[in-house]
């Protein structure tokens, strides 16, 4: 062992001496030193023998410490504003078509049924100059279920739904919907023995835009509608020009909105306009949503009477938990509905009827919703309204099969229950029940004409097989009065209906439907009997 220590000491002394000689020569400055040659040094061979016991202390395990939080300056140093340009990565191009669906561009539908009834309509989507358009047209005709009840209906419509390109500045990126439609109906006022023939023409064109500009969401639109009713030689026309603008902006915790509506009607040359400007604020906190709205309304009847006042409304939604929700609303203000809307509701309206605007003095409603999952929903609630100039229909004094449009003060109360239930993936139930109480304030609390006390509608749809589906439905309408004095009663009725359809393949569908299976005597309006038991069969082709 001593020999080994002796040899190691000699080697260390020799190494220190050589190192001192090298450092000393390096410290002396030299100018243009002559080239030197070095010979390899042969060191003596040293053998070290012995035994050494390695003794290393084991490390002590320590608990990890929580890392210190970085300061803002340190974070900023990690997230430099001077971003390095990323290098492009070569990737494989995505195939233009990865899969091809079964979308059809067009369809053709034809069916025939009882009472010499027939329907023929079709549609097709196409692209022109970068715009995707959809056009459809058709006709519906019947030989009549009673004397003089034959009719013919025709329509044509073209519509477009597209995203505006950025070059349109404010409107760039907005969704724009456009449609142009024409309808023509020919029928008789068959409630009387020698009925007059009536023809209606309805042309409608409108554009609606929904977009966002610098955080300001806007919805705007413009429309024109021309409607004419020709009964024998008697003509009545209503032309309508309307436009609206709605703005939405989020401010702090509030969603603020402003609205402008201009609706100008010219009924038989007489102006009947409606203008509304209002603003609203919506506040959402936790499970509660509140919306308050206030504005001004100006209107004028077709007889030259000015209407106007304040619009006040409020809406509340309280989400109790995942299974229950409570909604409530109150409103006071004018109700905008033009003459053409009433004519579409009652096609036997007298050409001499005037247009006025109902005023809801107070309208309140509340509904309780039960929604335990996505497959079941039940709502129970009601609404109450006190209305001045409430519209209703009554028989014309001319006894020509037409109806006058009247306006009287009324109180109406509704109790409403609605249910939807997806029993299985292929079966569902929809149902609506209404209990109605209506009284005319100025007519000794008589019931409002044509307002039933009970209404019920229910549908059950299911797929018996993958390609075979069925729908069964029932409608019930309670008794109604057909006059102001409540002396003429229209009986209640059930309408039981069914439909069956079968997909032969991806292109052909055949179907049949039955209506008024119980062959009930149904009258929607006095002396106008609806068709009895009805059946039809049809074919739809998709291409």
């Amino acid at each position: 062992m001593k020999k080994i220590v002796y040899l190691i000491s000699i080697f260390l002394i020799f190494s220190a001496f050589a190192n001192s000689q090298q450092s000393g020569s390096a410290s002396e400055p030299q100018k243009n030193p002559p080239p030197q040659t070095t010979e390899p040094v042969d060191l003596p061979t040293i053998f070290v023998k012995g035994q050494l016991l390695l003794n290393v202390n084991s490390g002590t395990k320590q608990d990890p410490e929580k890392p210190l939080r970085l300061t803002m300056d340190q974070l900023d140093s990690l997230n430099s504003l001077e971003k390095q340009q990323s290098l492009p990565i070569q990737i494989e191009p995505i195939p233009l078509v990865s899969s091809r669906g079964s979308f059809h561009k067009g369809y053709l539908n034809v069916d025939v049924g009882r009472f010499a009834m027939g329907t023929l309509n079709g549609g097709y989507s196409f692209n022109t100059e970068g715009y995707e358009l959809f056009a459809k047209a058709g006709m519906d005709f019947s030989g009549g279920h009673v004397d003089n009840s034959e009719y013919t209906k025709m329509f044509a419509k073209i519509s477009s739904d597209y995203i505006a390109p950025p070059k349109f500045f404010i409107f760039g990126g907005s969704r724009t919907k456009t449609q142009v439609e024409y309808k023509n109906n020919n029928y008789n006022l068959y409630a009387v023995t020698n009925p007059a023939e009536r023809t209606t023409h309805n042309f409608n064109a409108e554009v609606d835009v929904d977009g966002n500009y610098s955080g300001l969401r806007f919805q705007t639109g413009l429309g024109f509608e021309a409607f004419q009713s020709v009964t024998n030689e008697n003509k009545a026309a209503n032309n309508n020009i309307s436009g609206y603008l709605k703005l939405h902006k989020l401010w702090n915790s509030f969603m603020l909105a402003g609205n402008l509506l201009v609706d100008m009607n010219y009924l038989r040359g007489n102006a009947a306009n409606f203008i509304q400007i209002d603003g609203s604020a919506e506040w959402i906190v936790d499970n509660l949503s509140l919306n308050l709205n206030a504005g001004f309304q100006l209107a004028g009847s077709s007889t030259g009477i000015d209407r106007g006042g304040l619009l006040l409304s409020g809406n509340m939604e309280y989400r109790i938990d995942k299974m229950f929700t409570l909604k409530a609303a109150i409103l006071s203000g004018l109700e905008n509905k033009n003459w053409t809307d009433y004519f579409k509701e009652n096609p036997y309206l007298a050409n001499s009827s005037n247009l006025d605007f109902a005023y809801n003095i107070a309208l309140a409603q509340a509904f309780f919703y039960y929604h335990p999952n996505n497959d079941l929903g039940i709502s129970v609630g009601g609404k109450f309204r006190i209305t001045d100039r409430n519209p209703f229909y009554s028989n014309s004094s001319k006894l020509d099969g037409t109806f006058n449009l009247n306006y009287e003060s009324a109180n109406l109360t509704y109790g409403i229950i609605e249910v939807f239930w997806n029993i299985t993936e292929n079966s569902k139930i929809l149902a609506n029940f209404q209990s109605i109480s209506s009284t005319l304030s100025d007519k000794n609390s008589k019931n409002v004409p044509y307002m039933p006390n009970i209404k019920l509608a229910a549908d059950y749809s299911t797929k018996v097989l993958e390609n075979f589906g069925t729908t069964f439905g029932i409608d019930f309408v309670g008794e109604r009065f057909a006059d102001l004095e409540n002396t003429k009663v229209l009986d209640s009725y059930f309408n039981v209906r069914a439909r069956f359809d079968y997909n032969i393949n991806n292109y052909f569908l055949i179907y049949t439907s039955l209506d008024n299976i119980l062959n009930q005597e149904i009258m929607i309006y006095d002396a106008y009997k609806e068709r009895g038991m009805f059946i039809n069969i049809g074919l739809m082709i998709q291409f």
Side-chain angles (χ1 to χ4, degrees):
M1 187 69 183
K2 292 181 179 180
K3 293 181 180 181
I4 296 174
V5 173
Y6 176 74
L7 292 175
I8 293 174
S9 300
I10 295 175
F11 178 76
L12 292 174
I13 293 172
F14 179 78
S15 300
F17 177 77
N19 185 47
S20 62
Q21 292 295 325
Q22 183 178 359
S23 60
S25 61
S27 62
E28 296 180 359
Q30 296 181 2
K31 295 182 179 180
N32 300 324
Q36 297 181 0
T37 60
T38 59
E39 296 294 337
V41 179
D42 293 331
L43 296 176
T45 303
I46 299 175
F47 297 94
V48 179
K49 295 183 178 179
Q51 294 180 350
L52 179 64
L53 181 62
L54 184 64
N55 185 13
V56 180
N57 293 328
S58 61
T60 302
K61 184 177 181 181
Q62 298 181 354
D63 295 331
E65 295 183 356
K66 183 179 181 180
L68 298 177
R69 296 184 62 182
L70 298 177
T71 65
M72 296 303 297
D73 293 337
Q74 290 172 325
L75 290 173
D76 290 340
S77 67
L78 297 175
N79 186 23
S80 174
L81 297 178
E82 298 180 0
K83 301 297 182 182
Q84 299 295 327
Q85 184 177 3
S86 59
L87 297 176
I89 300 176
Q90 298 294 332
I91 60 174
E92 296 182 1
I94 299 176
L96 295 179
V97 179
S98 58
S99 63
R100 186 175 299 275
S102 58
F103 174 75
H104 299 285
K105 284 192 172 184
Y107 76 94
L108 179 65
N109 181 64
V110 58
D111 65 46
V112 294
R114 192 183 177 197
F115 310 120
M117 191 281 299
T119 299
L120 175 64
N121 60 73
Y124 189 75
S125 63
F126 57 96
N127 188 289
T128 175
E129 297 184 0
Y131 294 97
E132 192 72 26
L133 302 176
F134 181 73
K136 62 179 181 178
M139 65 179 302
D140 183 7
F141 59 88
S142 173
H145 55 284
V146 296
D147 292 341
N148 303 312
S149 62
E150 63 273 8
Y151 64 83
T152 302
K153 302 178 181 180
M154 294 182 292
F155 77 93
K157 179 179 180 180
I158 185 168
S159 58
S160 175
D161 188 348
Y162 67 97
I163 304 298
K167 66 180 182 181
F168 288 107
F169 187 47
I170 294 178
F171 296 99
S174 62
R175 183 178 183 180
T176 304
K177 296 181 179 181
T178 307
Q179 73 171 31
V180 178
E181 183 177 21
Y182 172 75
K183 293 181 179 180
N184 174 269
N185 296 338
N186 291 275
Y187 55 97
N188 300 317
L189 306 179
Y190 64 90
V192 294
T193 304
N194 297 311
E197 182 180 352
R198 170 169 284 183
T199 301
T200 63
H201 306 273
N202 188 198
F203 174 81
N204 177 59
E206 57 186 45
V207 178
D208 297 284
V209 179
D210 189 342
N212 190 299
Y213 180 73
S214 299
L216 179 66
R217 184 188 174 190
F218 61 89
Q219 296 168 296
T220 185
L222 183 66
F224 171 74
E225 184 173 25
F227 181 85
Q228 184 184 56
S229 170
V230 181
T231 307
N232 287 347
E233 299 299 326
N234 186 298
K235 297 181 181 181
N238 181 58
N239 296 321
N240 172 266
I241 301 175
S242 61
Y244 68 92
L245 174 64
K246 297 179 181 180
L247 302 176
H248 307 263
K249 179 70 175 181
L250 182 63
W251 179 73
N252 292 336
S253 300
F254 297 90
M255 177 60 74
L256 305 180
N259 175 55
L260 172 64
L261 171 65
V262 178
D263 196 352
M264 298 182 294
N265 296 278
Y266 297 93
L267 175 59
R268 299 186 300 271
N270 300 317
N273 302 325
F274 183 94
I275 300 175
Q276 175 178 313
I277 181 170
D278 62 276
S280 65
E282 183 178 8
W283 182 49
I284 301 177
V285 54
D286 297 330
N287 296 334
L288 180 65
S289 301
L290 294 174
N291 185 291
L292 300 177
N293 185 52
F296 299 95
Q297 295 175 316
L298 296 174
S301 69
S302 61
T303 57
I305 302 176
D306 294 331
R307 311 290 188 188
L310 295 175
L311 170 66
L312 299 172
S313 67
N315 295 274
M316 182 273 292
E317 178 179 320
Y318 179 56
R319 296 167 289 278
I320 302 172
D321 54 31
K322 294 182 179 180
M323 298 176 61
F324 299 98
T325 300
L326 178 64
K327 294 183 180 181
I330 57 174
L331 180 143
S332 178
L334 294 172
E335 186 175 312
N336 183 29
K337 188 175 181 179
N338 65 40
W339 193 74
T340 304
D341 295 331
Y342 287 111
F343 216 105
K344 294 176 182 178
E345 184 178 87
N346 185 348
Y348 313 112
L349 191 65
N351 286 350
S352 58
S353 295
N354 292 310
L355 176 64
D356 208 339
F357 298 92
Y359 175 60
N360 292 308
I361 300 173
L363 188 155
Q365 63 181 22
F367 287 89
F368 184 75
Y369 295 86
Y370 172 64
H371 41 77
N373 50 56
N374 293 331
D375 295 322
L376 177 63
I378 302 174
S379 67
V380 180
K383 59 182 179 179
F384 173 76
R385 59 187 290 181
I386 303 174
T387 304
D388 188 21
R389 300 185 300 275
N390 183 76
F392 65 93
Y393 304 108
S394 65
N395 290 351
S396 172
S397 58
K398 297 181 180 180
L399 302 178
D400 57 356
T402 62
F403 295 85
N404 291 327
L405 183 57
N406 305 281
Y407 302 89
E408 296 284 350
S409 298
N411 298 332
L412 299 99
T413 304
Y414 300 81
I416 303 173
I417 300 175
E418 291 187 333
V419 177
F420 81 85
W421 182 20
N422 295 328
I423 304 172
T424 65
E425 184 179 354
N426 297 321
S427 301
K428 64 180 179 180
I429 292 177
L430 298 174
N432 176 283
F433 172 80
Q434 297 185 36
S435 175
I436 306 171
S437 173
S438 63
T439 58
L440 294 172
S441 305
D442 300 333
K443 299 294 181 181
N444 298 322
S445 298
K446 299 291 186 180
N447 285 8
V448 177
Y450 294 101
M451 183 69 68
N453 53 1
I454 294 177
K455 293 175 68 175
L456 170 67
D459 285 87
Y460 169 70
S461 301
T462 185
K463 271 192 172 184
V464 180
L465 301 173
E466 181 179 358
N467 295 337
F468 181 65
T470 62
T471 299
F472 300 95
I474 183 172
D475 302 313
F476 175 78
V477 177
E479 288 185 347
R480 296 140 294 143
F481 294 102
D483 58 349
L484 282 171
E485 292 75 22
N486 290 176
T487 58
K488 185 176 293 186
V489 179
L490 300 181
D491 294 334
S492 60
Y493 64 85
F494 279 99
N495 179 22
V496 180
R497 43 193 170 75
R499 176 185 169 93
F500 307 91
D501 57 71
Y502 179 72
N503 277 302
I504 301 175
N505 52 36
N506 196 33
Y507 301 96
F508 296 95
L509 169 74
I510 58 173
Y511 62 89
T512 182
S513 60
L514 297 93
D515 195 38
N516 195 10
I517 297 175
L518 301 181
N519 200 31
Q520 294 262 290
E521 185 172 299
I522 299 175
M523 286 193 182
I524 306 298
Y525 296 104
D526 185 30
Y528 282 96
K529 181 181 178 181
E530 298 296 309
R531 63 192 181 191
M533 186 177 64
F534 174 79
I535 182 172
N536 74 334
I537 185 171
L539 170 67
M540 175 178 286
I541 305 173
Q542 301 180 89
F543 53 90

